[in-house]
Amino acid sequence: MSEYDIEHSHGLHVVHDGPRQAPPLLLIHGSGASGGFWSPMVPALVGHHHVIRVDLPGCGQSPPAPPYDVPAQAGRVAALLDDLGLRHVAVGGHSSGGYVATALAEQRPDLVGSLALISSGPSMDALLRQPFILRVLLAPPLGPLLWSRRSDAMIRRGISATAARPVDVPDDVVAGLRDTTYRVMRTVLRRNTAYIAERSVPERLAALKVPVLVIFGAADPRWEPSSAHRYDAVPNARVELLPGVGHLPMLEAPETTSKLLLGFTATGR
């Protein structure tokens, strides 16, 4: 497997893998992350899909470009898909990337054929007390001081703190997070909170007619794992809990996560 095309479109850094004639699969990362988080899954996915990974504005290799509210992010992704001439795309989102995927389906149901939400908390009351290193890095008074001084090792510790098992964090993931500013990160987090505070994700999905796969780590330290079953109320939704996996199934269990995603995109169930 090798990257065969990298482009910039509507302020988004976009990486294409796999044959263009294959069914498209769009992957959207979570808060402050980048398309590199999907890298361990790409080798399994490209045998079946044209995989499209985006870096949202201010994240990874995409430059800052406000506003950062979820509907605006979804609008940028919709413009990208329009430029590519794609419709009825399988869309996967990790964590808050699932909110962008949901908003895309709300705005443009013609673009979304199915939705896979990985570690996407359903509502704010499911949020757990965050790991200590994240609380220090993301909140005043220390956050603004420490953020710009983060070493690669500290970035890796911050990522690993959301996992339930040891993970190998790709270098491009570290580089992408290093370039994300504290202001962008805090703004993105606030906008994501506002989106699910306004209306829960299961409630939003229940109003849509799209097949949904929900993958959740049974040991997720960021969101209450049992909250994944709130998605059971969504018609055409299937919920999969991964034992011993935390918030990062793509890094912690890429084979299992890829298998679930491929089975879903092949059947819509």
Side-chain angles (χ1 to χ4, degrees):
M1 186 281 299
S2 63
E3 296 176 358
Y4 75 88
D5 192 14
I6 298 175
E7 65 177 340
H8 284 82
S9 177
H10 300 277
L12 304 177
H13 175 81
V14 185
V15 177
H16 299 264
D17 294 281
R20 288 258 183 167
Q21 67 271 22
L25 171 61
L26 171 69
L27 299 176
I28 306 173
H29 63 77
S31 302
S34 66
F37 270 81
W38 301 99
S39 294
M41 293 176 56
V42 169
L45 299 178
V46 293
H48 305 268
H49 288 284
H50 164 206
V51 178
I52 306 161
R53 291 180 284 162
V54 299
D55 287 354
L56 296 175
C59 300
Q61 297 185 55
S62 292
Y68 297 103
D69 59 281
V70 172
Q73 304 277 43
R76 292 186 179 101
V77 174
L80 166 66
L81 293 178
D82 281 338
D83 281 357
L84 294 172
L86 298 176
R87 294 291 184 274
H88 306 296
V89 176
V91 182
H94 172 247
S95 195
S96 61
Y99 308 156
V100 177
T102 300
L104 177 64
E106 289 178 312
Q107 292 177 15
R108 295 287 305 277
D110 59 310
L111 295 180
V112 179
S114 63
L115 282 174
L117 308 186
I118 301 173
S119 305
S120 297
S123 57
M124 283 307 299
D125 59 349
L127 187 67
L128 299 173
R129 182 172 172 81
Q130 300 300 287
F132 175 75
I133 190 171
L134 298 185
R135 299 200 308 271
V136 170
L137 285 172
L138 293 173
L142 294 179
L145 299 174
L146 292 176
W147 189 266
S148 62
R149 296 173 172 82
R150 295 166 300 154
S151 65
D152 287 1
M154 184 179 293
I155 292 172
R156 282 191 159 88
R157 285 199 299 273
I159 294 170
S160 298
T162 66
R165 58 178 68 172
V167 293
D168 182 16
V169 181
D171 290 341
D172 60 334
V173 166
V174 175
L177 267 167
R178 191 191 308 116
D179 292 339
T180 301
T181 69
Y182 180 79
R183 176 173 292 184
V184 166
M185 186 68 174
R186 288 280 295 180
T187 302
V188 167
L189 290 172
R190 286 196 299 269
R191 299 297 184 266
N192 292 336
T193 296
Y195 180 74
I196 61 173
E198 178 185 46
R199 196 178 180 203
S200 75
V201 185
E203 184 180 359
R204 292 174 182 276
L205 293 173
L208 305 175
K209 297 179 180 179
V210 60
V212 178
L213 171 67
V214 174
I215 300 174
F216 230 85
D220 193 322
R222 295 202 65 214
W223 298 93
E224 171 56 51
S226 65
S227 71
H229 287 294
R230 298 183 191 178
Y231 289 98
D232 288 334
V234 179
N236 301 316
R238 169 182 154 209
V239 177
E240 295 282 350
L241 281 173
L242 305 185
V245 173
H247 190 62
L248 304 172
M250 311 95 70
L251 301 183
E252 298 177 70
E255 297 86 0
T256 300
T257 307
S258 297
K259 184 177 180 180
L260 288 171
L261 184 54
L262 287 173
F264 174 66
T265 58
T267 64
R269 299 181 57 185

